[in-house]
Structure formats: C-alpha cells, structure tokens
Amino acid sequence: MIVVAVVGAVGACGAAAEDPAPGPGSAERLRVEVVEELPHDPQAFTQGLEFAGDTLYEGTGLVGRSSLRAGPAGGEPTRQVALPEPLFGEGITVVDTTIWQLTWQNGVAIERDAQTLAERRRVEYSGEGWGICHQPDHDRLVMSDGTSTLTFRDPRTFAETGSVTVADAGRRIEDLNELECVGDAVYANVWQTDEIVRIDSSTGAVTARIDASGLLEPGEEEGADVLNGIAAYPGTDQFLITGKLWPKMFRVNLVPVS
C-alpha cells in the first residue's frame, strides 16, 4: 500500500482553486442505492470502466501492472492485454470498433481494436491523462487531466477541439478523474473522495453531487484504495461503480438524498 499511496499522491493536482465563495447552488444531492454486488479483481488498480453492449471494458494502472481487460461484468476477463513499461494506464472509452486508452504522464493515447484489444497506433498529447469518455451526439471525446478542465477531442484524430471549466455555484471542482458520458452529461469521479459529480458538458456546471460513500465493509477497506470507476448500464438508469484495488463492484441506482 505504500507504493500505491506514493503514486497517487504524485498524480494529484491538489491546488486549491482561488475562486470567489460559492453562492446558492442548484446541484441535486443524490446518493447511491445498491442493487447488486459483483466480484472485482482486488489487484486491479482501476482507471477506466465502460460497457459496450454486454461487454465490460476495464483499464488499470501502475507501471508494470497496467492493462486493458474485456469480459462479462463480475466474471473473468475473456481478453486482456498488458501495457509495457514505462506506460501507466489511465482512462478508456469505446468509439465504435475502437478503444482509446490514456496514459498518465507518458503523453500518449493508445488506439486499440475493440474486439482483439490489439494496438493500432499511438497519438501524442500534452499534459496528463486521467479519464475519458465519448459523446456520440457531439462527435467528440471528453478528457480529464486531474484539474477542473474537461478537454474535447476529435474521436478519430485525437486533436483538441475545445474545453470547459467545471464549477459548482462558481467554485471550480478540481481533481476530476474517471469519466462516463451519458447523453450531454458527464459523470466524473472526484479523486480522493467518495463523490461523483454530474456535469453539463455544454457549460461545465455541476448539476448533481452524488454520495458514493460506505460501499465497502471496514475489513474490505483495509486493502482498498480510492473510489474510481463508473460505467452506465446500457438501456437502464443504473451504474456500475468500483474503486482501485476494490474486491467488489456495485450496481447502483442514483436516488435523492432523503
């Protein structure tokens, strides 16, 4: 756990935003309601989670342990590839027959075949890579880098096409990590917290703050790291969420805080 803590600390942006004090907010307050528990590899340092049909794709991190996996939710992967050192895997997203996989500080995104997971090419980008998701209606990728900025990219060339700053009632939300696109909304894990935020991708405004605390039992928390990993279940309003080195995944509803 010492190694994991050091790696995570280096990856944090952590700088406090120098914004005015927030005014009255309009963000919904939601919490997770567990519908089902599923097993998860406790050795998986989860960085990205996404469904394509019935297939769950998971990208994992750490140098020498990074991978991309595909298979049924809660089951053993049917396909898996490792990232060679010194690459540190980060977020993933599926675009038709392609998977884009980010790297943390290596400055490259890897384009893969969605069926075989084989590498097709690498594209360079500046800055850090944390999370990524696809908005087909806008024909764009949405990428996080651990700050309050979401960057839009072309899903074919990976070229930057724009950006938006994420804020709740005027206060920037830093440490945006793993992303999930659902329509015009982007759901983002906030690093080092048990919170997920829902973001209006056209404005950057936070429209909901989701409490995902208390999912693991005390004994399970001992070997686990932070919450990270959110995937929308196709055809439902439910999500699958997990964390780095968690022994479980949770199928959840998002319900109002009572």
Side-chain angles (χ1 to χ4, degrees):
M1 290 303 296
I2 294 175
V3 172
V4 172
V6 170
V7 170
V10 172
C13 293
E18 296 181 0
D19 292 325
S26 59
E28 284 187 272
R29 297 288 173 168
L30 305 174
R31 63 177 177 84
V32 296
E33 177 186 71
V34 176
V35 176
E36 181 182 15
E37 295 183 4
L38 297 169
H40 181 247
D41 180 2
Q43 300 301 311
F45 198 75
T46 304
Q47 305 285 51
L49 204 64
E50 185 168 309
F51 278 104
D54 294 331
T55 300
L56 180 67
Y57 291 89
E58 181 174 12
T60 72
L62 300 178
V63 175
R65 291 172 52 185
S66 296
S67 68
L68 177 62
R69 310 166 181 199
E76 292 292 326
T78 57
R79 289 157 284 162
Q80 182 169 330
V81 293
L83 275 69
E85 297 185 22
L87 297 182
F88 187 120
E90 283 282 349
I92 61 167
T93 195
V94 182
V95 184
D96 299 323
T97 61
T98 293
I99 297 175
W100 283 106
Q101 183 175 27
L102 301 179
T103 57
W104 175 32
Q105 294 181 321
N106 307 105
V108 294
I110 302 171
E111 183 186 37
R112 297 184 179 276
D113 183 280
Q115 291 300 315
T116 65
L117 310 186
E119 183 176 329
R120 291 174 174 170
R121 61 173 172 149
R122 298 184 185 184
V123 178
E124 294 184 355
Y125 59 85
S126 61
E128 295 187 357
W130 286 44
I132 190 167
C133 63
H134 178 224
Q135 291 185 316
D137 291 344
H138 296 283
D139 191 31
R140 68 188 182 189
L141 303 172
V142 184
M143 177 175 162
S144 64
D145 61 3
T147 68
S148 60
T149 299
L150 294 179
T151 301
F152 305 129
R153 295 183 177 275
D154 185 285
R156 291 161 295 277
T157 66
F158 215 72
E160 186 174 337
T161 60
S163 65
V164 68
T165 299
V166 176
D168 182 11
R171 190 176 200 85
R172 294 184 183 185
I173 305 298
E174 302 286 342
D175 297 325
L176 299 176
N177 201 351
E178 216 270 294
L179 306 180
E180 178 73 359
C181 291
V182 181
D184 290 336
V186 176
Y187 291 77
N189 286 114
V190 180
W191 188 71
Q192 290 284 47
T193 77
D194 290 323
E195 185 175 58
I196 297 165
V197 292
R198 187 183 68 206
I199 303 157
D200 181 337
S201 61
S202 63
T203 65
V206 172
T207 61
R209 303 188 75 136
I210 302 156
D211 180 3
S213 62
L215 290 171
L216 295 178
E217 299 293 335
E220 296 168 335
E221 291 178 342
E222 185 175 344
D225 206 277
V226 296
L227 178 79
N228 200 49
I230 177 168
Y233 263 95
T236 77
D237 294 328
Q238 298 178 334
F239 291 86
L240 186 70
I241 61 177
T242 191
K244 304 174 188 289
L245 310 178
W246 281 28
K248 293 177 181 175
M249 299 185 291
F250 299 87
R251 184 169 183 161
V252 301
N253 291 317
L254 305 183
V255 300
V257 173
S258 55

